[in-house]
Amino acid sequence: MSNVQTHSLFTDFDINLFKAGKHYRLYEKLGAHLIEKDGIKGVYFAVWAPSAASVSVVGDFNYWTGGEHLLQVRWDSSGIWEGFIPNIGHGAIYKYKIASSIGGVITEKADPFSFYCEKPPHTASVVWDLENKWNDESWMLNRKKHNDLDKPYSVYEVHLGSWKRGDDGKTFLTYLDFAKDLVNHVKEMGFTHVEFMPVMEYPYDPSWGYQLTGYFAPTSRFGTPQEFMHLIERLHQNDIGVILDWVPSHFPDDAHGLGFFDGSNLYEHPDRRKGYHPDWKSLVFNYGRSEVRSFLISNALFWLHYYHVDGLRVDAVASMLYLDYSRNDGEWEPNIFGGNQNLDTISFLKEFNEAVYLNYEGVQTIAEESTSFPMVSKPTDMGGLGFGMKWMMGWMHDTLNYFKKDTVYRKYHQNELTFSMTYTFTENFMLPLSHDEVVHGKKSIFGRMPGDEWQKFANLRLLYGYMFTHPGTKLLFMGCEFGQSAEWNFEQSLDWHLLQYPYHSGIKKLITDLNGLYKSEPALYEKQFSSEGFEWINYSDHQNAVFSFIRKGNLEKDNLIIICNFTEVVREDYRIGIPKRGILTELFNSDAKIYGGSDVLDSKKVPIDTFPYDGRDYSAALLLGPLSVKVFKIS
């Protein structure tokens, strides 16, 4: 006889929404919930397993034996098994033991909706209460002013397991440690947002968190859910937004995970051409199944609701959009129109974005999408996918390819930099120098720079100055902000000792000042996604590898003049056209001594001459330091 009492949190309306794929709060119903029934405290369990013949809850409260706590299947063909187990509570460890009606298969699974998991390598779920007293009201009430598309958006991308480790070099820091050290660092550097590589529970460290088994649980490697909430709260209290990497694109086939959950292809697409990812040897969600869509959208909203998250960066969108992604001929099937687009995915992504923006004001979704798929960051009512922003992968590849070239040859490749301006305003682009660019033999960003030590650092300063003055929001991976020289290694801390050396500390000072410039100058963010915010002065001086442009804000007085010298040759009396009379006041110079530069300095005030140049009535003669970018304002 089962020691489970009949109970349900589901209404008929819930079930109808679930079956239709429109239930976006499934985390309130499925999973393990602490309740009181007839004066007795216990846990209500509910799990979706339509192909099961029986489902038992096994755990540390019944010696992991099946049959003692059997759940009951609902009568409504929803496939949900549920029941109340009295006298167990917070901290109970459990799994679902599922006997399938298909071939007698028995699986033992972690709860797809568990709020907390055992610390890897253990794989069970933990009953947990997410109640928390938040103290970030000011941020939550005003975050729209921080998060809008016409605001500065400078993102520090972090892998928590390797940002910094304990004194022994091996021990993970905790969420509480990060709430001090990481918050202080990000605030000092002036970043507006932190983006965490996936914090949802994952079994395998080398996956960096991109192979998830606990979609609703922050990894227990660093502490409890409430401790992760405290980290987010501390960031908010310091006016720093929080973005989470979210992985709806694929999941691992670990025995305790979502794969083959009830003996059937429940979460994954049953057709291997759509349900298996050859690159990552992982399973792909069935985006056309209503209940799976409810699971995924509920998961996205869960992090926005319970953890006060300000944005979701969606991983591997390109792999979701195309049926032939990483597949050869014969390994994929065209859609009903004969094309290669995954129509179920497109529909799902639109629905996901609509749900996010409808339910949470002041948040953003960001797509990591590397193809020319149209209108990724345009509203769904215009025919777009509905994301707030899209990573500008083309800019990243072209820019890094240009910068690795010896300066002697750059005059032949200037179009690699100027080309981005032909498509910059087709999407709301974020410029990423992410973790993917500092692994697998690619070298660190610093390591890609050519020349001797001084030239490498000068090139790096120039790259960052160009990045921060180019239209679009910014993302920089941890370690890049001080010129980490080695490739990123997920198994160890960043090389913080490098900050004792002047060139590295100079890069840190440079990024701090660039963040300050970005936040203080409206011309760098008010029209960052509009062609009205940019104008070339001269992009055709290939011979000298110099170009210049104007960034524009809502008010003409805020406009900035930017000039970049991509060689180590000092340019004296370098003339550029200026749109009006006045004086050029220098706001930033990457060649300054405080950054490790050569200190080839012009006057901080440069007169504008009544001398036509570059098709303009006025001009100014500037002194350009080697491998440098300068920013001016007209006064």
Side-chain angles (χ1 to χ4, degrees):
M1 180 177 176
S2 173
N3 296 314
V4 177
Q5 298 178 15
T6 301
H7 192 75
S8 182
L9 295 182
F10 284 91
T11 65
D12 291 344
F13 184 61
D14 287 321
I15 297 299
N16 290 334
L17 286 176
F18 178 49
K19 289 180 177 180
K22 301 296 183 182
H23 201 308
Y24 301 154
R25 302 271 192 245
L26 279 180
Y27 49 82
E28 296 176 350
K29 308 293 179 176
L30 289 169
H33 298 274
L34 292 159
I35 66 168
E36 185 174 314
K37 183 176 186 289
D38 299 329
I40 299 174
K41 293 181 178 181
V43 178
Y44 165 79
F45 292 93
V47 61
W48 179 51
S51 292
S54 68
V55 177
S56 296
V57 182
V58 297
D60 58 355
F61 47 85
N62 62 14
Y63 303 101
W64 300 94
T65 57
E68 183 175 347
H69 292 103
L70 284 166
L71 301 180
Q72 298 176 354
V73 67
R74 289 183 59 90
W75 56 269
D76 50 22
S77 73
S78 62
I80 293 172
W81 298 73
E82 61 185 351
F84 173 75
I85 302 179
N87 301 317
I88 64 171
H90 185 84
I93 301 172
Y94 71 101
K95 282 186 176 180
Y96 297 117
K97 190 168 186 176
I98 303 171
S100 178
S101 61
I102 304 173
V105 173
I106 296 177
T107 62
E108 199 167 284
K109 296 290 188 177
D111 189 342
F113 285 83
S114 63
F115 298 150
Y116 193 40
C117 300
E118 285 189 297
K119 185 178 295 187
H122 301 292
T123 58
S125 302
V126 182
V127 175
W128 207 262
D129 186 350
L130 292 182
E131 187 173 334
N132 183 60
K133 183 174 175 56
W134 285 88
N135 188 23
D136 64 347
E137 295 86 357
S138 177
W139 170 271
M140 295 299 287
L141 288 172
N142 296 287
R143 72 173 171 184
K144 191 174 187 297
K145 294 190 292 187
H146 298 275
N147 253 18
D148 269 358
L149 295 176
D150 60 351
K151 297 296 188 294
Y153 218 94
S154 180
V155 181
Y156 185 57
E157 186 189 24
V158 176
H159 177 261
L160 286 171
S162 58
W163 182 75
K164 188 181 287 186
R165 294 204 174 183
D167 293 338
D168 61 0
K170 298 179 181 179
T171 306
F172 287 136
L173 298 186
T174 67
Y175 292 127
L176 298 181
D177 294 326
F178 294 124
K180 299 175 183 176
D181 297 351
L182 177 64
V183 172
N184 289 339
H185 178 68
V186 174
K187 184 176 182 180
E188 176 192 359
M189 295 294 300
F191 289 99
T192 64
H193 293 73
V194 166
E195 179 180 320
F196 292 122
M197 291 167 65
V199 298
M200 301 81 180
E201 194 59 81
Y202 56 98
Y204 187 52
D205 283 350
S207 79
W208 310 336
Y210 289 101
Q211 297 276 8
L212 304 181
T213 52
Y215 271 77
F216 289 82
T219 178
S220 54
R221 287 169 174 80
F222 313 119
T224 68
Q226 279 78 8
E227 288 168 344
F228 182 51
M229 292 175 186
H230 176 69
L231 168 57
I232 294 173
E233 178 180 84
R234 289 294 297 143
L235 287 161
H236 284 173
Q237 288 171 345
N238 287 276
D239 289 333
I240 301 165
V242 178
I243 305 165
L244 297 187
D245 273 12
W246 186 54
V247 192
S249 47
H250 63 110
F251 58 93
D253 61 0
D254 292 59
H256 68 289
L258 296 177
F260 206 55
F261 190 81
D262 60 355
S264 72
N265 300 119
L266 190 62
Y267 288 91
E268 67 272 22
H269 200 286
D271 185 340
R272 292 279 284 188
R273 293 173 296 182
K274 296 181 180 179
Y276 180 75
H277 199 295
D279 285 353
W280 302 313
K281 306 290 189 293
S282 54
L283 304 174
V284 179
F285 286 103
N286 185 353
Y287 304 107
R289 187 163 190 171
S290 297
E291 297 91 341
V292 173
R293 292 165 79 109
S294 280
F295 169 82
L296 287 171
I297 296 175
S298 290
N299 182 243
L301 300 192
F302 168 82
W303 294 100
L304 299 172
H305 178 72
Y306 274 109
Y307 287 89
H308 291 196
V309 168
D310 308 294
L312 296 170
R313 176 266 193 185
V314 183
D315 182 61
V317 172
S319 74
M320 301 169 66
L321 289 173
Y322 295 99
L323 296 165
D324 59 347
Y325 187 91
S326 289
R327 291 174 173 84
N328 299 317
D329 290 344
E331 296 177 346
W332 64 282
E333 182 181 41
N335 62 35
I336 58 174
F337 303 110
N340 67 342
Q341 294 183 356
N342 190 325
L343 303 180
D344 286 337
T345 294
I346 293 170
S347 170
F348 161 72
L349 289 173
K350 289 182 177 182
E351 186 177 350
F352 148 72
N353 279 310
E354 288 169 353
V356 167
Y357 285 106
L358 179 64
N359 286 279
Y360 294 93
E361 186 179 35
V363 303
Q364 296 292 346
T365 61
I366 306 163
E368 187 221 1
E369 203 285 312
S370 55
T371 75
S372 57
F373 192 95
M375 302 181 71
V376 170
S377 59
K378 302 303 180 185
T380 57
D381 59 9
M382 292 176 57
L385 291 183
F387 285 94
M389 284 176 264
K390 170 182 171 173
W391 275 20
M392 197 174 186
M393 309 295 277
W395 172 89
M396 179 267 297
H397 286 297
D398 288 346
T399 299
L400 292 179
N401 191 51
Y402 177 88
F403 267 86
K404 75 180 182 182
K405 290 179 170 63
D406 190 290
T407 57
V408 172
Y409 304 109
R410 287 182 177 175
K411 62 184 177 182
Y412 304 112
H413 299 276
Q414 190 150 320
N415 63 305
E416 291 183 17
L417 289 187
T418 59
F419 177 67
S420 67
M421 294 312 305
T422 66
Y423 65 93
T424 288
F425 304 111
T426 60
E427 300 275 4
N428 298 338
F429 278 120
M430 172 177 281
L431 280 56
L433 292 176
S434 74
H435 66 276
D436 279 329
E437 306 316 309
V438 293
V439 289
H440 303 322
K442 294 179 182 177
K443 300 181 180 179
S444 65
I445 301 297
F446 167 78
R448 296 189 189 200
M449 301 296 107
D452 58 24
E453 183 184 44
W454 187 91
Q455 289 174 330
K456 283 180 179 291
F457 278 101
N459 270 300
L460 190 63
R461 293 190 296 269
L462 172 58
L463 167 63
Y464 291 154
Y466 164 62
M467 173 184 180
F468 272 78
T469 54
H470 188 288
T473 55
K474 329 296 175 187
L475 178 138
L476 199 63
F477 184 57
M478 64 182 198
C480 295
E481 79 276 19
F482 60 83
Q484 168 107 358
S485 49
E487 272 195 349
W488 171 51
N489 183 345
F490 73 92
E491 294 183 297
Q492 66 186 44
S493 170
L494 296 177
D495 294 331
W496 293 102
H497 64 277
L498 293 175
L499 282 169
Q500 67 185 298
Y501 303 110
Y503 280 149
H504 291 279
S505 61
I507 295 293
K508 181 185 176 188
K509 172 63 174 170
L510 178 102
I511 294 295
T512 301
D513 287 354
L514 282 171
N515 275 326
L517 184 75
Y518 182 31
K519 292 189 293 186
S520 63
E521 294 299 328
L524 294 177
Y525 59 80
E526 286 181 340
K527 296 182 178 181
Q528 58 193 342
F529 301 129
S530 169
S531 59
E532 296 178 356
F534 179 90
E535 180 183 336
W536 282 115
I537 295 175
N538 189 333
Y539 60 84
S540 60
D541 188 3
H542 301 262
Q543 192 62 39
N544 290 315
V546 175
F547 64 53
S548 51
F549 55 91
I550 304 172
R551 290 296 308 277
K552 301 178 179 180
N554 293 330
L555 302 176
E556 185 182 359
K557 69 179 181 62
D558 293 328
N559 292 355
L560 301 177
I561 306 292
I562 294 100
I563 185 164
C564 302
N565 178 14
F566 293 98
T567 73
E568 68 275 19
V569 178
V570 175
R571 309 287 178 190
E572 297 184 11
D573 293 323
Y574 189 91
R575 188 167 292 274
I576 63 170
I578 303 295
K580 65 178 184 177
R581 301 184 67 170
I583 295 175
L584 288 180
T585 300
E586 184 183 283
L587 302 183
F588 175 82
N589 181 0
S590 69
D591 190 45
K593 186 176 182 179
I594 55 173
Y595 307 133
S598 62
D599 224 24
V600 175
L601 299 180
D602 207 345
S603 168
K604 291 288 185 181
K605 303 283 187 180
V606 180
I608 296 174
D609 304 323
T610 308
F611 183 83
Y613 206 79
D614 288 330
R616 291 169 175 79
D617 293 335
Y618 308 98
S619 62
L622 306 174
L623 174 62
L624 307 185
L627 296 167
S628 67
V629 54
K630 286 187 171 185
V631 179
F632 297 92
K633 181 177 282 189
I634 301 173
S635 58

